[in-house]
Amino acid sequence: MTERHNREFFFLANSQEVRGPIATAVGSTEAKTHRAATAAETERMFRFSEIVTTASPLPDEALLEAVAEVMTAEAPDGDSHIPAGYTYLGQFVDHDLTRDVTRNLPLGSAVVTPEQLEQGRSPALDLDSLYGAGPTLNPEFYEPDRVRLRIGSTKKSKSPDDSRDLPDDRDFRGFDLPRLGSLASEPTDARKAHIPDQRNDENLAVAQTHLAFIRFHNRVCERLSAAGTPSAQLFERARESVTLHYQWLLVNDYLPRIVDPAIVHDVFRRGRVLFERQAQGFPTMPLEFSVGAFRLGHSMIREKYDWNAFFMPNGHIGDFGDLLRLFIFSGTSGNLSPTPDPDNPLDGDFERLPSNWIADWTRLFDFVEAGVPELAPETAINFARPLDIRLTDPLKDLPLGSFGARNPSGPQ
């Protein structure tokens, strides 16, 4: 995998340079190598493309607003047969595939062309959103052993209107993403997730999904170590195993749920006909897929979730985990707490996730269907909304942090 994904040496498209460590020994502090990129490496600079090109003018703003109104209209009540956890697994996959890191566009550019958009990472399903550039180049995401991924702890919490100790009134290690904390340069940055792609903390559901992959990687490391895997091979072996499990999951479980299984079978039998027909040279990421087709998850989002024992009908706190709260209880879009109340000492900006917001995966995935009936929840599982032309209505109102505000508060 090292050879294919080139994690030890990397090409910076903007600077036309290749950089990497002179020595590969863990902990090396020697200077980095710098050299000009070869012609072949320049060609591998990943860019976006279009499947369908057109010279037609953009529709006027009134038409776009009318389309937006239709797409965000309240949908008829009803669920699909897809467990709700797949909504956010899809968002995790989207972030693994594509990231636009375009900077410094030509002065006065009114329209950004696909040729100007630079893909931030590899377009492969290789979990680079989880691993970054690996422990040599991104040691900040790893434990000191340069094998296991860093993990965070939740913050003990109590119900604001109840002084009694609750089952969540303690810290839980391993149930929150690692966060910047004291490493932050600004106080409001302390809650930011310390992971390669902070988009995976824009809502609590995708954050807990990312965390599940961290925990899986670390558990695989434990098992490989117990089986006698040499320490020098441990990270690469673990990464390969986790990535293969991830790819198997997508092919055999995720895709057949959101796409007609016959189409999935046909694509794997005949190949990516449309994609390959349009590709020239090194493959590109079609805009139609990145910002169009793979936004299907926006249609699947529920307004409310039976989130865990605290946030469920008649739960300890007696309310659902509504969508707005899933954004507020994140480090990117929210402040990991309700809107601060100066008169309530239990309410305020948190640097870690409160313990009563840990995801209960048995309510978001069907473990009975998966052959583990002992993990069936006491209540019915959450199902995603149907795949249709509508976005979820509550997506019209998101916290200011979803749009880059440093002090998020309330919907916008």
Side-chain angles (χ1 to χ4, degrees), residues 204-282:
L204 182 56
V206 73
Q208 292 278 286
T209 301
H210 187 109
L211 176 66
F213 277 93
I214 291 178
R215 290 169 60 88
F216 180 48
H217 168 85
N218 290 350
R219 181 61 62 87
V220 170
C221 290
E222 291 175 10
R223 291 193 175 187
L224 289 174
S225 180
T229 302
S231 57
Q233 302 175 18
L234 195 53
F235 171 75
E236 287 295 338
R237 289 277 302 279
R239 175 170 180 157
E240 181 177 22
S241 178
V242 171
T243 302
L244 289 175
H245 276 82
Y246 167 63
Q247 293 171 347
W248 183 95
L249 166 69
L250 299 183
V251 171
N252 294 282
D253 188 19
Y254 175 71
L255 281 176
R257 292 180 186 274
I258 64 168
V259 181
D260 185 334
I263 295 176
V264 177
H265 176 75
D266 182 71
V267 169
F268 278 94
R269 181 174 60 87
R270 297 199 303 141
R272 301 181 297 274
V273 178
L274 179 62
F275 184 85
E276 295 298 342
R277 183 180 297 149
Q278 297 295 329
Q280 294 182 1
F282 195 70

Side-chain angles (χ1 to χ4, degrees), residues 14-275:
N14 287 338
S15 67
Q16 303 297 304
E17 289 183 349
V18 169
R19 299 182 181 181
I22 291 176
T24 58
V26 173
S28 171
T29 58
E30 294 187 47
K32 309 295 184 182
T33 59
H34 292 253
R35 63 174 173 79
T38 66
E41 288 166 335
T42 302
E43 289 179 1
R44 290 179 65 87
M45 177 169 53
F46 195 80
R47 289 191 177 278
F48 289 93
S49 63
E50 293 176 304
I51 293 176
V52 179
T53 58
T54 177
S56 302
L58 293 173
D60 61 48
E61 188 170 335
L63 178 58
L64 292 175
E65 290 180 356
V67 172
E69 286 294 326
V70 173
M71 292 177 68
T72 56
E74 185 174 354
D77 192 26
D79 291 334
S80 70
H81 297 292
I82 304 174
Y86 290 95
T87 306
Y88 300 95
L89 174 62
Q91 185 179 19
F92 178 86
V93 173
D94 177 29
H95 293 172
D96 181 39
L97 281 173
T98 178
R99 185 184 183 192
D100 174 18
V101 293
T102 304
R103 295 291 185 273
N104 302 322
L105 292 174
L107 187 63
S109 294
V111 178
V112 180
T113 65
E115 291 74 22
Q116 292 172 313
L117 296 175
E118 294 179 9
Q119 166 70 348
R121 296 191 306 261
S122 93
L125 292 167
D126 58 2
L127 290 175
D128 59 350
S129 61
L130 179 71
Y131 293 112
T136 301
L137 295 174
N138 285 140
E140 66 272 22
F141 302 131
Y142 294 80
E143 297 288 359
D145 61 9
R146 303 279 184 104
V147 172
R148 293 170 297 137
L149 289 161
R150 290 188 184 275
I151 206 161
S153 298
T154 59
K155 178 183 176 63
K156 62 182 180 180
S157 54
K158 295 181 181 179
S159 175
D161 57 356
D162 193 339
S163 61
R164 295 174 302 167
D165 289 347
L166 295 173
D168 66 321
D169 190 25
R170 63 188 178 94
D171 298 346
F172 287 92
R173 174 166 170 73
F175 288 89
D176 188 21
L177 292 171
R179 301 194 179 275
L180 286 175
S182 60
L183 298 176
S185 56
E186 298 286 341
T188 54
D189 288 343
R191 62 177 172 263
K192 284 189 175 181
H194 200 29
I195 55 178
D197 192 336
Q198 290 189 349
R199 293 179 302 168
N200 282 351
D201 191 33
E202 74 174 19
N203 66 69
L204 182 56
V206 73
Q208 292 278 286
T209 301
H210 187 109
L211 176 66
F213 277 93
I214 291 178
R215 290 169 60 88
F216 180 48
H217 168 85
N218 290 350
R219 181 61 62 87
V220 170
C221 290
E222 291 175 10
R223 291 193 175 187
L224 289 174
S225 180
T229 302
S231 57
Q233 302 175 18
L234 195 53
F235 171 75
E236 287 295 338
R237 289 277 302 279
R239 175 170 180 157
E240 181 177 22
S241 178
V242 171
T243 302
L244 289 175
H245 276 82
Y246 167 63
Q247 293 171 347
W248 183 95
L249 166 69
L250 299 183
V251 171
N252 294 282
D253 188 19
Y254 175 71
L255 281 176
R257 292 180 186 274
I258 64 168
V259 181
D260 185 334
I263 295 176
V264 177
H265 176 75
D266 182 71
V267 169
F268 278 94
R269 181 174 60 87
R270 297 199 303 141
R272 301 181 297 274
V273 178
L274 179 62
F275 184 85

